[in-house]
């Protein structure tokens, strides 16, 4: 787990300024110990101190919307897995009182006056005949709702809830009550708002995943009504359909919240909550600054930028997780600085002696100048190309290698023209180039352009696979960062002089990169429609 996304724990409450400048912008969860112990609700709602009687008297028989689930204690948030039925608040409190009495007496609280639960025939049919209280959860019952005041069912409890000091400057979207009679588990989901979850009584365990863990949690389709929920079941998950979910806990963090604690859950963070018996919580939702500032006419642009960044990240992750090879180190002695300098005097002299039209060095021999590691890479590349072509004439040999190769008038073998590996580890070009350090990479392709121009041409135009093109250009980028601009310009002049049609070479590399990016875009669930925006 990266340190930058580790949950922070605060023993002292931050000021509003500290929260807005140091905590909220990081979009990382934070626990505030004892945050709400000063609330009136903290003492008045406590079931151990007559809190249930207080709540019943305060709210009375006001009807609230209760969540009823056949899969209790697991409550899945998608509409197909539960129903919401109107229930007198006082009836739910009676359930809680009865459970407390039975628990004190050491007996099970399995009862269920089904007649007390109002609703349609369909809702009644949904309910089994036993254990109804254990299947009821007061989830997200509004105490305040800025956009829909008519939905507010528990406004009378508002005065028992004090705004945390660090949220005083926020324009809240809603305040909600969460209350369960028996042990309850919420399904894994994320919220489209920032969330401060406050534990008034009881305790909760919260498992959190960063938004980057989304591929392991298989969110429901974006066009569905429950797109913020995971498709993976909490109990008996089907890893055959959701294989990456088996390792999702490696990306998760877990926190335990006791009465008085509060947890900041940033928008987009997946969370799964386990609530102990008779747990009461209140949460605050507000829109993040980022979402508040998004202008609707900019949506298509932001989507393209985000998709591009996700694709780049997916490609980087895939390449680095494939473990294609170890870095091939240079064998010659390093300067006093301890680092190889690709632009040293010996190498500059080799570059300056180049006549690009003749594709030969006027002074020295690039093949003889190569260190053993570079010779090995060059040999592997030339052998790879020659395995995919037919050799018509032989007029050159690799003097320092143990085997001979030729480079004159290469004809592409139709059966080997393009080799697209099924996986990164199977791609021969990527395996050869991946572990090559920039200095060796530069020497190899200079020598290839000078001594085997037709082989280089065949390599780029006919052998280079999509993943090979991606690795090749990444190596170009690594090399560019380590050499002077003058040497960089010379390198590319020599490299592309090996091609009769330089535009064809550039297009071949570019199309390969695009093919790799297009293939990897499917890994993050990008639709063709979205990519065309």
């Amino acid at each position: 787990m990266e340190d930058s996304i580790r949950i922070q724990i605060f023993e002292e409450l931050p000021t509003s300024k500290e929260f807005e400048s140091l905590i909220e912008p990081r979009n990382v969860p934070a626990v505030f110990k004892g945050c709400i112990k000063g609330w009136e609700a903290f003492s008045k709602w406590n079931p151990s101190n007559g809190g249930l009687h207080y709540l019943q008297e305060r709210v009375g028989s006001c009807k609230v919307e209760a969540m009823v689930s056949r899969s209790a204690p697991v409550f899945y948030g998608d509409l197909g897995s539960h129903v919401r039925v109107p229930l007198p608040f006082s009836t739910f409190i009676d359930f809680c009182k009865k459970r407390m009495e039975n628990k004190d007496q050491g007996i099970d609280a399995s009862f269920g006056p089904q007649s007390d639960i109002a609703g349609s025939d369909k809702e009644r049919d949904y309910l089994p005949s036993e254990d109804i209280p254990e299947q009821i959860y007061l989830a997200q019952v509004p105490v305040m709702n800025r956009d829909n005041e008519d939905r507010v069912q528990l406004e009378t409890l508002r005065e028992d809830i004090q705004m945390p000091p660090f949220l005083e400057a926020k324009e809240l979207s809603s305040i909600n009550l969460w209350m369960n009679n028996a042990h309850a588990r919420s399904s894994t989901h994320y919220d489209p708002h920032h969330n401060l979850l406050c534990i008034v009584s009881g305790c909760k365990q919260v498992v959190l995943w960063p938004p980057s863990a989304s591929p392991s949690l298989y969110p429901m389709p974006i066009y569905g009504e429950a797109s913020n929920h995971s498709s993976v079941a909490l109990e008996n998950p089907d890893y055959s359909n959701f294989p990456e979910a088996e390792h999702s806990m490696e990306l998760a963090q877990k926190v335990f919240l006791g009465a008085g604690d509060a947890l900041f859950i940033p928008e987009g963070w997946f969370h799964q909550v386990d609530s102990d018996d008779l747990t009461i919580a209140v949460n605050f939702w507000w829109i993040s600054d980022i979402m508040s500032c998004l202008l609707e006419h900019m949506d298509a642009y932001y989507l393209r930028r985000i998709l591009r960044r996700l694709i780049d990240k997916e490609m980087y992750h895939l390449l680095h997780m494939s473990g294609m090879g170890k870095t091939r180190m240079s064998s010659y002695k390093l300067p006093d600085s301890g680092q190889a300098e690709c632009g040293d005097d010996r190498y500059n002299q080799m570059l300056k002696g180049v006549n690009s039209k003749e594709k030969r060095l006027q002074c020295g021999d690039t093949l003889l100048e190569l260190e053993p590691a570079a010779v090995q890479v060059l040999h592997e590349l030339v052998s790879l190309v020659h395995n995919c072509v037919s050799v018509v004439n032989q007029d050159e040999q690799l003097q320092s290698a143990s085997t001979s190769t030729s480079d004159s008038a290469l004809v592409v073998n139709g059966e080997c023209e393009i080799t697209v590996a099924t996986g990164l580890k199977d791609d021969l070009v990527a395996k050869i180039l991946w572990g090559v350090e920039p200095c060796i990479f530069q020497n190899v392709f200079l020598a290839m352009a000078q001594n085997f121009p037709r082989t280089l041409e065949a390599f780029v135009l006919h052998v280079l696979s999509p993943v090979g093109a991606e690795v090749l250009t990444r190596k170009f980028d690594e090399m560019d960062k380590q050499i002077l601009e003058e040497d960089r310009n010379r390198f590319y002049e020599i490299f592309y002089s090996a091609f009769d049609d330089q535009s064809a070479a550039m297009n071949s590399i570019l199309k390969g990169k695009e093919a790799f990016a297009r293939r990897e875009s499917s890994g993050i669930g990008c639709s063709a429609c979205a990519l065309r925006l």
Side-chain angles (χ1 to χ4, degrees):
M1 180 66 63
E2 298 177 16
D3 290 338
S4 61
I5 57 173
R6 287 195 180 278
I7 296 174
Q8 306 171 89
I9 299 179
F10 295 89
E11 299 291 342
E12 297 182 3
L13 295 186
T15 64
S16 177
K17 185 176 181 180
E18 289 172 337
F19 182 79
E20 291 184 354
S21 62
L22 301 177
I23 300 173
E24 186 179 15
R26 294 185 63 226
N27 278 321
V28 175
V31 176
F32 305 102
K33 306 296 289 185
C35 174
I36 65 164
K37 287 187 175 181
W39 284 12
E40 290 187 29
F42 184 74
S43 56
K44 291 181 177 180
W45 299 5
N46 188 340
S48 301
N49 296 327
L52 296 178
H53 181 71
Y54 170 84
L55 288 170
Q56 197 168 36
E57 282 194 342
R58 187 68 184 269
V59 178
S61 296
C62 168
K63 286 192 175 179
V64 295
E65 210 173 59
M67 184 178 182
V68 184
S69 171
R70 280 201 185 102
S71 59
V74 178
F75 289 81
Y76 290 100
D78 61 290
L79 294 180
S81 301
H82 74 275
V83 294
R84 288 187 175 271
V85 298
L87 174 72
F89 186 78
S90 57
T91 299
F92 180 76
I93 296 299
D94 283 336
F95 293 162
C96 296
K97 287 181 176 179
K98 185 66 175 178
R99 185 171 187 82
M100 281 192 69
E101 292 174 7
N102 290 344
K103 191 174 182 180
D104 291 341
Q105 297 173 17
I107 60 176
D108 188 18
S110 294
F111 73 112
Q114 194 166 353
S115 59
D116 287 339
I117 301 179
S120 66
D121 291 339
K122 180 180 178 181
E123 289 164 350
R124 289 178 180 275
D125 292 341
Y126 187 89
L127 299 171
S129 59
E130 298 178 351
D131 300 335
I132 291 176
E134 284 76 7
Q135 297 173 336
I136 297 175
Y137 185 21
L138 297 190
Q140 196 180 326
V141 182
V143 177
M144 184 278 286
N145 190 299
R146 186 186 63 190
D147 298 327
N148 194 346
E149 294 182 0
D150 294 338
R151 287 193 64 245
V152 176
Q153 300 165 350
L154 296 177
E155 187 175 9
T156 184
L157 297 179
R158 178 70 180 87
E159 61 187 60
D160 291 342
I161 301 168
Q162 285 71 52
M163 180 78 78
F166 53 87
L167 294 187
E168 289 178 350
K170 301 297 181 186
E171 185 176 357
L172 297 179
S173 298
S174 63
I175 303 174
N176 306 288
L177 175 75
W178 305 75
M179 188 172 179
N180 54 286
N181 171 35
H183 172 231
R185 307 188 72 199
S186 71
S187 57
T188 304
H189 67 285
Y190 66 84
D191 297 320
H193 299 82
H194 281 337
N195 181 7
L196 185 72
L197 176 64
C198 306
I199 312 303
V200 178
S201 179
C203 60
K204 289 180 182 282
Q205 172 188 282
V206 185
V207 183
L208 299 122
W209 292 264
S212 57
S214 179
S216 299
L217 299 174
Y218 298 89
M220 292 186 178
I222 193 69
Y223 49 79
E225 50 79 26
S227 59
N228 62 322
H229 283 260
S230 170
S231 300
V232 185
L234 282 182
E235 296 182 333
N236 301 317
D238 184 0
Y239 293 132
S240 62
N241 285 329
F242 309 111
E244 292 186 36
E246 191 167 6
H247 305 288
S248 63
M249 289 305 297
E250 298 173 8
L251 307 172
Q253 300 179 72
K254 188 181 296 185
V255 295
F256 296 90
L257 304 173
D261 296 338
L263 170 65
F264 169 54
I265 306 176
E267 63 177 353
W269 275 73
F270 285 87
H271 49 286
Q272 186 274 313
V273 184
D274 277 40
S275 302
D276 204 356
D277 290 355
L278 274 177
T279 294
I280 306 173
V282 169
N283 87 297
F284 300 84
W285 272 331
W286 70 98
I287 298 176
S288 68
D289 291 340
I290 291 177
M291 294 305 298
S292 299
C293 294
L294 286 180
L295 301 174
E296 189 172 344
H297 69 275
M298 296 292 289
D299 284 352
Y301 164 72
Y302 291 136
L303 179 59
R304 286 184 64 85
R305 286 292 302 272
I306 292 170
L307 288 176
R308 178 70 255 183
R309 189 160 68 173
L310 283 173
I311 291 171
D312 289 343
K313 183 177 180 180
E314 183 72 12
M315 291 191 299
Y316 178 87
H317 175 75
L318 198 62
L319 290 170
H320 282 263
M321 291 298 291
S322 64
M324 287 182 287
K326 297 181 180 180
T327 301
R328 303 173 192 246
M329 302 301 295
S330 174
S331 62
Y332 55 79
K333 184 178 180 181
L334 298 178
D336 294 338
S337 63
Q339 296 181 345
E341 297 178 3
C342 296
D344 61 15
D345 291 341
R346 177 180 63 82
Y347 196 69
N348 282 332
Q349 288 298 321
M350 184 177 73
L351 283 169
K352 290 177 180 178
V354 169
N355 180 324
S356 61
K357 291 183 179 180
E358 296 178 356
K359 302 181 180 63
R360 292 292 182 275
L361 284 177
Q362 292 178 344
C363 300
D365 188 329
T366 49
L367 295 179
L368 296 178
E369 294 280 349
L370 291 178
E371 55 270 31
V375 172
Q376 178 64 26
V377 175
L378 179 60
H379 170 61
E380 290 176 9
L381 289 174
V382 172
S383 297
L384 174 64
V385 174
H386 281 254
N387 285 337
C388 293
V389 298
S390 297
V391 181
V392 178
N393 296 314
Q394 286 191 341
D395 61 359
E396 292 181 352
Q397 291 186 338
L398 184 56
Q399 300 296 331
S400 58
S402 60
T403 60
S404 299
T405 57
S406 61
D407 191 58
S408 190
L410 296 177
V411 179
V412 177
N413 183 326
E415 296 181 356
C416 301
E417 182 171 352
I418 295 293
T419 303
V420 180
T422 56
L424 292 185
K425 293 182 180 180
D426 301 320
D427 190 281
L428 296 178
V429 175
K431 287 175 68 175
I432 293 172
L433 295 181
W434 182 251
V436 179
E437 65 175 19
C439 189
I440 293 178
F441 174 86
Q442 185 181 14
N443 290 345
V444 166
F445 278 93
L446 275 174
M448 200 169 183
Q450 293 298 312
N451 297 275
F452 305 100
R454 299 285 69 78
T455 299
L456 178 59
E457 186 174 47
F459 171 76
V460 171
L461 297 180
H462 304 294
V463 178
L464 197 60
S465 63
V467 64
E470 179 64 29
V471 172
L472 178 69
T473 54
R474 285 175 182 261
K475 289 299 174 181
F476 283 153
D477 292 339
E478 291 178 12
M479 179 193 71
D480 291 347
K481 293 176 182 178
Q482 296 192 16
I483 62 176
L484 301 175
E485 182 179 1
E486 181 182 358
D487 294 338
R488 182 165 61 247
N489 293 338
R490 291 183 195 141
F491 172 83
Y492 288 112
E493 180 183 357
I494 297 169
F495 180 87
Y496 284 108
S497 69
F499 299 89
D500 291 334
D501 186 344
Q502 296 185 11
S503 296
M506 294 179 184
N507 287 336
S508 179
I509 296 172
L510 179 60
K511 288 180 179 179
K513 280 180 61 69
E514 291 176 346
F516 180 66
R518 184 167 58 250
R519 186 179 72 181
E520 297 315 311
S521 67
S522 62
I524 58 172
C526 300
S527 68
C529 179
L531 290 171
R532 287 196 298 268
L533 285 176

